[in-house]
Amino acid sequence: MDFKQTKNILPDRLTAIKENFGKLENLYREYLFNDYLPFIDQYVFDHEHGGFCCSCGYRGDRLSSNKRTWYDARGAWIYAILYRDHGVDSQYLDKARLTLMLLEKTKDEKQVYWPWSYNQYGLDLNERQGDIYGNLFVAEAYIAYGSAVKEIDFQKKGKAILMDVYTLIQQPSYRYILDYAPGGRQASVQDVLGHWMILLNVSSSYLEDHGDDEQIIAIVDHCINALMENHFQRECGLLLEVKSDHKAKGDIDWDDFAYLGHAIEALWMVIKEAHRRNDIALFELATKRFRRHVEVAWDDLYGGFFHSLESIDNYHFLTDKVLWAQHEVLIGCTLLIEIQNDPWAYQWFEKTLTYLQTYYVQHELPFRPWRIGGNRRTDDPQTGTRIENYHHPRHLMFVLGTINRMFDQNRTDHDNTKRVN
């Protein structure tokens, strides 16, 4: 069975939406190449030492020169993918390499994790212990850079980190300090949806170049089972952020907590992997669950998506809004548009983008920076304390590449050296 055979017929009333999607290329090109990349280059990237000083206001005022493993590794990934897939010149590859060199400098071989934060020169600030996500983002950066320059040694480094992470999180003694538990509490937990989500995405990226690697295939299979079976709460049809059989008195009821932003992000990653491996049943199941989470997370009163359902039974949401959760909806919808010509996805894409253009894109500022969040109405004045350098550009690249594949495959690109794909 072919994926295209599962598509729905586009109703006449959706024709305009579909046409508008195809016309987004110039807008998304401006957002990426005229707004985001020049802003980062001028205010955020450290051209001398590598890395990203993301503590920065929306007008470009740098608040600190300190850096974090998360942001540096993810920024290096963005630059590597820009070079590999989006036809930018080699300066971005050079910046990715410089940042990887900084990350190598920061790692203490005696420590399991890359440091949480460090100064401009790579010296650990000892603010808190590093975590599993930092290691995974470094692995992602190595794999992408290796793919971009076609050097297997970098990809092998990434794979080695993946294997270590996979082994570590299955140890009985492993614990993760979750700092986004209901009520703003911290909790020591083991089986976290977010771990399997990132592990799946990074492993899938490795398989793009090494599709027959049995070790990585086994990790991907385990991740999918964890996400689609172990973390799925059948009664409400939602993915739970933490899977725990421990029911001590006073503990958080993890069966009542859905971190919707992660669930939506994880599900588009499952959709993407299902399509890569031509698994129709998994694709359809992940698509059904993606739609369910999107519709539950939408704020019918003020628009936008809630990212945390603090209590499923009481239908109690954390009501602030974060940019990254909105982006994950757009990426998932874009996948379904390309693969299935999905009318539901067209509608939700337009609805979400309209909301973001109204409340997040700061049209009055140079480079039109997107605010990273706000209150429920997203009407609280902000000068900005951090610039988002992963979810936002990833979404821009993903949508732009999809538009070009769908509507513009045969036209010469006059802005870059090769087609965005």
Side-chain angles (χ1 to χ4, degrees):
M1 180 179 179
D2 183 79
F3 281 96
K4 294 297 183 182
Q5 292 178 302
T6 68
K7 71 180 183 181
N8 298 308
I9 302 299
L10 191 67
D12 290 340
R13 64 187 177 83
L14 290 177
T15 300
I17 297 176
K18 181 178 179 181
E19 291 175 350
N20 288 338
F21 182 83
K23 294 175 182 177
L24 286 175
E25 178 185 358
N26 288 338
L27 178 64
Y28 265 75
R29 188 174 294 281
E30 289 176 4
Y31 282 153
L32 180 60
F33 292 106
N34 296 351
D35 296 344
Y36 173 76
L37 290 174
F39 184 98
I40 296 296
D41 189 62
Q42 184 168 336
Y43 299 119
V44 177
F45 185 75
D46 184 342
H47 293 268
E48 182 177 0
H49 306 286
F52 298 79
C53 301
C54 290
S55 295
C56 181
Y58 295 135
R59 292 185 178 274
D61 45 320
R62 185 176 290 184
L63 307 177
S64 171
S65 61
N66 293 337
K67 302 166 185 174
R68 279 185 54 187
T69 294
W70 280 32
Y71 305 154
D72 282 354
R74 299 195 298 190
W77 178 84
I78 290 292
Y79 281 169
I81 297 301
L82 272 169
Y83 178 82
R84 189 192 72 178
D85 293 350
H86 293 250
V88 299
D89 61 48
S90 61
Q91 66 163 309
Y92 291 102
L93 195 62
D94 295 339
K95 292 173 184 177
R97 177 64 177 268
L98 186 61
T99 301
L100 286 175
M101 291 171 61
L102 176 67
L103 285 164
E104 289 175 355
K105 178 181 177 181
T106 67
K107 179 69 166 65
D108 183 345
E109 293 302 322
K110 298 177 183 178
Q111 301 297 321
V112 174
Y113 302 117
W114 262 261
W116 179 260
S117 59
Y118 37 89
N119 68 11
Q120 187 174 9
Y121 312 103
L123 297 177
D124 192 345
L125 296 173
N126 294 307
E127 291 181 319
R128 57 181 280 186
Q129 185 183 42
D131 66 4
I132 210 78
Y133 292 111
N135 287 32
L136 284 169
F137 294 135
V138 172
E140 183 178 41
Y142 274 129
I143 291 168
Y145 185 84
S147 179
V149 299
K150 296 179 171 53
E151 291 185 18
I152 187 64
D153 287 347
F154 286 100
Q155 293 186 305
K156 285 181 177 179
K157 284 184 179 180
K159 178 185 174 180
I161 298 170
L162 279 180
M163 300 302 297
D164 288 344
V165 166
Y166 182 60
T167 299
L168 177 62
I169 64 175
Q170 294 181 87
Q171 299 300 314
S173 60
Y174 173 74
R175 290 294 182 273
Y176 176 73
I177 303 302
L178 194 83
D179 59 6
Y180 52 90
R185 298 159 63 183
Q186 286 192 344
S188 177
V189 296
Q190 183 178 31
D191 191 346
V192 184
L193 179 147
H195 291 12
W196 302 114
M197 172 185 75
I198 303 299
L199 192 59
L200 167 64
N201 194 47
V202 179
S203 298
S204 293
S205 73
Y206 186 84
L207 292 178
E208 291 176 5
D209 289 333
H210 308 280
D212 60 349
D213 189 303
E214 294 183 359
Q215 290 179 309
I216 301 299
I217 290 172
I219 292 177
V220 169
D221 289 342
H222 190 156
C223 291
I224 290 173
N225 184 70
L227 293 167
M228 301 301 287
E229 296 297 331
N230 297 346
H231 282 260
F232 183 62
Q233 221 272 34
R234 299 189 182 280
E235 186 177 4
C236 66
L238 300 176
L239 299 185
L240 304 175
E241 181 66 13
V242 174
K243 183 65 176 176
S244 177
D245 296 325
H246 188 60
K247 298 290 185 182
K249 184 178 180 180
D251 274 1
I252 295 170
D253 182 1
W254 296 114
D255 288 343
D256 196 39
F257 172 53
Y259 201 58
L260 296 172
H262 272 182
I264 289 168
E265 185 176 4
L267 286 165
W268 75 247
M269 292 172 180
V270 176
I271 290 171
K272 187 169 182 281
E273 173 60 19
H275 184 239
R276 189 195 69 82
R277 58 172 60 185
N278 199 33
D279 188 333
I280 300 295
L282 178 61
F283 176 88
E284 292 180 342
L285 180 61
T287 297
K288 177 182 178 181
R289 292 181 181 176
F290 175 80
R291 291 173 177 167
R292 165 73 170 162
H293 284 76
V294 166
E295 292 172 357
V296 167
W298 178 257
D299 181 355
D300 280 321
L301 192 58
Y302 295 111
F305 297 95
F306 298 123
H307 66 287
S308 181
L309 181 51
E310 306 272 276
S311 171
I312 296 171
D313 288 345
N314 294 316
Y315 209 54
H316 172 64
F317 293 91
L318 184 66
T319 57
D320 67 333
K321 304 283 174 58
V322 291
L323 176 62
W324 66 264
Q326 324 301 314
H327 284 332
E328 304 315 315
V329 174
L330 289 175
I331 291 177
C333 288
T334 302
L335 270 170
L336 296 178
I337 287 170
E338 181 175 19
I339 297 169
Q340 284 199 308
N341 201 25
D342 188 331
W344 178 94
Y346 275 114
Q347 289 178 300
W348 278 98
F349 184 98
E350 183 181 63
K351 189 174 185 177
T352 305
L353 182 59
T354 299
Y355 166 76
L356 288 173
Q357 289 175 320
T358 302
Y359 295 104
Y360 282 78
V361 182
Q362 300 181 99
H363 302 276
E364 74 282 2
L365 297 182
F367 302 110
R368 294 184 294 186
W370 295 37
R371 57 186 290 165
I372 65 171
N375 61 20
R376 184 175 183 182
R377 300 180 186 221
T378 326
D379 61 359
D380 48 327
Q382 294 185 358
T383 58
T385 59
R386 179 170 73 85
I387 297 301
E388 217 289 323
N389 75 326
Y390 182 64
H391 296 274
H392 179 54
R394 178 173 72 174
H395 138 258
L396 294 178
M397 292 190 298
F398 197 98
V399 174
L400 186 55
T402 300
I403 291 170
N404 280 320
R405 282 192 300 272
M406 291 179 64
F407 300 101
D408 199 27
Q409 291 177 333
N410 298 319
R411 193 179 68 185
T412 301
D413 181 16
H414 298 293
D415 297 321
N416 297 290
T417 58
K418 66 179 181 180
R419 294 304 307 150
V420 177
N421 54 44

